[in-house]
Amino acid sequence: MAAPVIHVVFKTHLDIGFTDHAEKVRRQYHERFIPQAIDTGEHFFRENPDEPRFIWTTGAWLIWDHLNSRSPVEIARLEQAIERGLITWHALPYTTHSELMSPALFRAGLSYAAELDKRFGRKTIAAKMTDVPGHTLGTVPLMAQAGVRFLHLGVNTASPPPDVPDVFRWRAPSGEEIVVMYQKSYGTTHFPQGFTEGLSFAHTSDNIGPQSVPQTSEGLREIAAHNPGATLRASTLDAYAALLWDRRTEFPVLDIELGDSWIHGSASDPIKSARFRALQRTYDAFESEGLTPSRLAFGRELAMVAEHTCGVDIKSYLRDDKAWDRPAFEAARKTDYRFAYTEASWAEQRAYLDRAVDHLAQPDRARAEAALAELDVPAAAAPTGHASAQTLALDGWSLEFTPTGDVASLTAPSGTRLEGQNGSLLGFCYESYDSADIARHMDTYLTHRAEWAILDHDKPGLAKAHTARSASWQPAPAGRIDSGIALTLPPQAHTELGAPARVDLAFAPIDQNTIELTLTLREKPANRMPEAGFLNFTPAGAGSWDFLKTGLWQPANRVAAHGGGQLQAIFAARRNGLTITPLDTPLVGPAATPFMPFDRNPPDFDTGLRFNLHNNKWGTNFPMWWEGDFKARFRITLA
C-alpha cells in the first residue's frame, strides 16, 4: 500500500473587521500580511523551487484588492509570487452569509476569481467558507456553472454543525453538484474513506496573518507527528479538488438545505438590511440588462454587506457589563469610548452601501437612489376614527381586523378569501428577553464552554439589570390611519425596553391578486438588552411551504438536523398558490417555535411563518442595538 500523502493548505481566516475596524484590517493585510506570506514563500522557494514547503491560500477578493490598490512595486512582487505558485486564491471572495445573496450578487463575488484566472492563465475549481456554520443549496448551481468542483466548509467550533457526512456530493434539483468536505473546525487533517491522500489545514486564527518560516516548520512537524509515515506536501485546494472530483461517485449525495444558524445577525441592523435588499434588486436588474464595469463594481462593493463580519468583536471592544438598564446605557453611549468605537464599526459596515452607489454613473445612480428612497418613512399621521373599527375596504379589497389590531382576513376583488388561524392572519409582536433566556440559548446551541464561546453568546451582567424582562408584548389598536391601522405597545415596553412608540399597518393594492402590507416601526429607542420584533403570518389551512433562497425554490422544512432551519433568509414563500414576498427584511422562522432557544430539529412550519424584523440575539460581531424609524413591506398574492 502506498504511503499516505497529506496536502497541506496554509491559510489565515479573514474577517473584514472583527479584530478591528474593517479598513484597518484591510490595510493590515496589504501592508503586513501579504508581504509576510511572500517572505515565507520565497524562503522555501529558494530552498526547493520544485516543491516549496509553503503556499498561502486566501479568498480571491484579497488578492484582487491588492493588485488593484497597491504600488507598482508591491503589485510586481505579488505577481511574481503568484507565478511561482507561492500565493494562490480560491473561487469565493471571502466567507459570506450566502442566504442573503441573490444569484446575480453571488456571481459578482465569483467574478474576482474569474478575473484573476484570466489574468494569470489558470482555472480555479475549489472554494472555501470558514466560520459560518451553514450555507444554502441555491449556491450549488451557481458555483457549478462557474466551474467550481469542490467546497470546503469549516465551522466555528462552538456552533453545532448540520448533521451531514464528512464528504458528500451536494446536488441541486437541476442536477448540478459539487463535492463538499464539512469539518467541525476551520479545518484539520482528513482522509476520506479509502483515500491514501488527505487534506490538512495549517490555519492561523482570525486576522493573525500567515505563518513565518519557523511557524511553518513547526506546523509541518505537528501535522507529521499526528500522521506518522505520511508525506507532507504544501498544496492548494485546487489540487485536492481534482482528486475528489475524479472519485466523486464514491461519496453520498445530499440534496437538502444546510441552513445558517448565524443568519439572525442580518436583522441586528434592519435599516442596513433593507437598503441592501433594495440595492441588490437594482443590481439584479443591471445584470439582466447587461453589466458595465461600473455596474459590476457596484455589485462587488454591495457583496461586502453579505460578508460575515458585521463589526468589531463585542467581547474585546465592548467589555462593559454594567450599562444595561436604559438610563445607564444611554449615559454610556455618550461618555464611554468603548461604546463609540463599537458603534463606529457598525456605521462603517453601513457605509458599504453608499460606497457601492458611488461606483455608478448616471442614470444608473439615479435608479439606485430611487430604490433607496422607497425606504423613506413618511411622517406619522394622527390616528383617527374608532380604534376598534374592524373592516377596511380598498379598491375592491376587503380587510377585517380583530379587536386587538391583528388582521383577521383578506378578501381579494375576485372574492378569494384568506383567513387566519385562530382568527389571526397578520399581527405584530415585540419580545424582550432576560439572562435566563440567554442561558437557554447557550444550553441549546453551544457545543463547548470555552471562555471565548461563552463571551461571544452571553450578555455578561444582564442578570443584574433591573428592567430586563422575559415577555411577549402585544400591541393594542390606537385608531385608523390612511389605508390601515395604528397600534401602540404597553408604555413600559417603550420606556424601559426597546419597543417602538407606535406600529402602523398600512395596505396598498397592487393589482387584482396582490396587496402590499407596509409595517412601520416608529420611534424605536436603542436598547442593549436582548429583544426582537416579529410579523406573524398564520393563514388557515394545511399545506407545505416552499422558500425561494438564492434563486432556488425548495421545501422550507428540508433542512439538515442541527442545521439552521429555525431561522432562514428568503426572497419569497409560497403555499397552495399563496405567495408572500418580504421586500425589506429576509428572516423567517416557524410561527410556533420560540426564538431564543436553538432547535436542532428540522423546522415545522405547519402553524405558519413569523418574520423576524429585528433582533440582537447574541454578540460576536453583530450590532447590539439600533434606533429610529423603519418600515418593512410584504407583498401578498392570492392565486
Side-chain angles (χ1 to χ4, degrees):
M1 183 177 178
V5 175
I6 298 176
H7 293 249
V8 181
V9 173
F10 292 89
K11 195 174 182 303
T12 297
H13 176 56
L14 170 65
D15 285 305
I16 309 177
F18 190 63
T19 54
D20 208 331
H21 286 177
E23 184 54 31
K24 290 184 178 180
V25 169
R26 175 177 171 266
R27 291 201 307 267
Q28 190 176 41
Y29 273 89
H30 290 320
E31 295 169 5
R32 290 179 48 202
F33 293 163
I34 289 178
Q36 181 180 328
I38 297 173
D39 287 344
T40 302
E42 286 180 342
H43 177 93
F44 287 103
F45 181 81
R46 292 187 179 99
E47 286 186 5
N48 184 353
D50 295 325
E51 195 171 328
R53 301 282 280 171
F54 178 87
I55 301 170
W56 195 58
T57 297
T58 188
W61 168 80
L62 189 63
I63 301 299
W64 179 92
D65 194 40
H66 196 86
L67 293 172
N68 285 274
S69 66
R70 306 305 293 177
S71 70
V73 171
E74 292 170 293
I75 292 170
R77 190 168 186 233
L78 178 57
E79 287 175 329
Q80 183 185 61
I82 291 170
E83 289 161 358
R84 288 175 168 177
L86 305 177
I87 305 289
T88 192
W89 55 88
H90 63 79
L92 293 172
Y94 31 67
T95 295
T96 62
H97 292 289
S98 58
E99 291 184 6
L100 299 176
M101 305 176 80
S102 68
L105 200 67
F106 196 84
R107 282 189 288 265
L110 289 167
S111 72
Y112 290 109
E115 185 175 323
L116 293 174
D117 285 353
K118 183 177 180 180
R119 178 171 177 172
F120 291 96
R122 59 180 63 180
K123 180 61 186 135
T124 301
I125 62 170
K128 178 153 176 49
M129 296 271 207
T130 310
D131 217 9
V132 175
H135 295 275
T136 179
L137 182 63
T139 63
V140 169
L142 304 175
M143 286 188 280
Q145 291 158 17
V148 176
R149 299 289 178 259
F150 171 52
L151 172 65
H152 184 278
L153 297 177
V155 65
N156 181 292
T157 61
S159 300
D163 186 9
V164 297
D166 292 336
V167 184
F168 57 92
R169 291 148 67 193
W170 205 12
R171 181 179 292 170
S174 50
E176 294 103 335
E177 65 180 30
I178 58 175
V179 177
V180 175
M181 180 181 289
Y182 194 105
Q183 293 192 288
K184 300 173 180 65
S185 67
Y186 282 4
T188 55
T189 303
H190 182 69
F191 285 84
Q193 186 174 1
F195 276 59
T196 58
E197 295 190 51
L199 177 65
S200 185
F201 285 88
H203 237 119
T204 60
S205 295
D206 306 350
N207 296 339
I208 294 298
Q211 292 88 345
S212 64
V213 172
Q215 290 170 330
T216 300
S217 300
E218 178 59 31
L220 291 170
R221 282 194 292 269
E222 183 177 349
I223 296 171
H226 286 91
N227 299 274
T231 299
L232 272 59
R233 179 183 302 154
S235 190
T236 66
L237 286 170
D238 281 350
Y240 201 71
L243 295 174
L244 293 174
W245 187 252
D246 286 344
R247 297 175 61 176
R248 63 189 180 277
T249 57
E250 300 177 32
F251 306 125
V253 173
L254 209 66
D255 62 355
I256 63 174
E257 185 75 358
L258 302 186
D260 176 0
S261 60
W262 287 12
I263 200 66
H264 68 90
S266 67
S268 59
D269 185 346
I271 296 172
K272 180 182 75 173
S273 290
R275 297 181 74 214
F276 171 67
R277 297 274 280 204
L279 293 180
Q280 184 168 231
R281 287 191 293 271
T282 304
Y283 182 72
D284 294 348
F286 288 161
E287 191 202 54
S288 67
E289 295 165 6
L291 290 177
T292 62
S294 65
R295 286 177 167 184
L296 178 59
F298 165 70
R300 284 173 164 178
E301 192 74 48
L302 192 59
M304 291 287 280
V305 179
E307 194 270 333
H308 78 302
T309 315
C310 297
V312 294
D313 179 11
I314 297 299
K315 66 182 178 294
S316 298
Y317 286 91
L318 189 67
R319 300 181 307 281
D320 171 82
D321 62 358
K322 297 179 176 62
W324 290 100
D325 294 303
R326 283 268 301 278
F329 164 62
E330 288 163 5
R333 288 185 73 192
K334 295 176 182 177
T335 60
D336 192 324
Y337 180 66
R338 295 173 297 180
F339 283 70
Y341 199 83
T342 303
E343 286 195 76
S345 76
W346 306 335
E348 182 184 39
Q349 297 287 322
R350 274 194 187 183
Y352 288 144
L353 298 159
D354 298 323
R355 284 167 46 181
V357 174
D358 286 344
H359 284 290
L360 294 172
Q362 294 289 358
D364 287 346
R365 183 187 181 101
R367 290 172 63 180
E369 290 172 343
L372 293 175
E374 291 181 7
L375 305 176
D376 292 344
V377 177
T384 61
H386 198 276
S388 62
Q390 295 185 5
T391 61
L392 176 66
L394 293 170
D395 295 341
W397 285 81
S398 176
L399 295 90
E400 296 179 352
F401 295 91
T402 70
T404 60
D406 287 1
V407 177
S409 68
L410 283 171
T411 304
S414 64
T416 302
R417 182 178 174 86
L418 184 63
E419 296 182 343
Q421 290 189 29
N422 301 317
S424 176
L425 173 64
L426 290 159
F428 174 79
C429 175
Y430 173 79
E431 292 183 358
S432 59
Y433 311 102
D434 62 13
S435 60
D437 292 315
I438 298 296
R440 279 189 287 273
H441 157 68
M442 293 194 295
D443 288 344
T444 52
Y445 187 78
L446 293 179
T447 60
H448 62 70
R449 291 277 178 160
E451 183 181 27
W452 64 263
I454 294 173
L455 292 175
D456 270 351
H457 291 260
D458 199 5
K459 307 247 184 208
L462 179 63
K464 297 179 182 179
H466 300 295
T467 53
R469 296 285 183 275
S470 180
S472 179
W473 306 83
Q474 305 300 321
R480 281 298 174 81
I481 56 172
D482 185 33
S483 303
I485 190 170
L487 308 170
T488 56
L489 277 296
Q492 183 185 19
H494 176 65
T495 59
E496 294 185 0
L497 303 171
R502 190 173 118 183
V503 178
D504 293 348
L505 302 180
F507 294 84
I510 302 299
D511 56 35
Q512 296 294 295
N513 299 309
T514 301
I515 192 167
E516 184 171 288
L517 161 64
T518 298
L519 184 154
T520 304
L521 308 183
R522 296 189 182 277
E523 300 178 40
K524 186 204 178 299
N527 175 35
R528 188 185 176 196
M529 291 179 284
E531 62 178 2
F534 301 94
L535 173 69
N536 296 314
F537 183 61
T538 52
S544 299
W545 288 94
D546 290 333
F547 289 164
L548 179 61
K549 302 179 69 174
T550 313
L552 179 64
W553 281 104
Q554 52 185 305
N557 60 357
R558 292 198 73 240
V559 182
H562 299 184
Q566 180 179 353
L567 196 65
Q568 302 181 50
I570 69 170
F571 290 83
R574 68 185 182 190
R575 189 188 78 175
N576 297 340
L578 163 67
T579 302
I580 183 166
T581 303
L583 296 179
D584 308 308
T585 185
L587 300 188
V588 68
T593 301
F595 183 68
M596 190 57 74
F598 180 65
D599 188 350
R600 295 178 178 238
N601 299 308
D604 181 358
F605 291 93
D606 285 351
T607 57
L609 314 177
R610 105 165 156 158
F611 291 91
N612 179 231
L613 306 171
H614 68 88
N615 78 80
N616 55 356
K617 188 171 183 177
W618 80 64
T620 311
N621 64 96
F622 299 118
M624 291 289 90
W625 57 84
W626 69 281
E627 61 191 331
D629 296 344
F630 169 70
K631 74 177 187 181
R633 295 163 296 167
F634 300 84
R635 288 193 172 174
I636 303 166
T637 300
L638 310 182

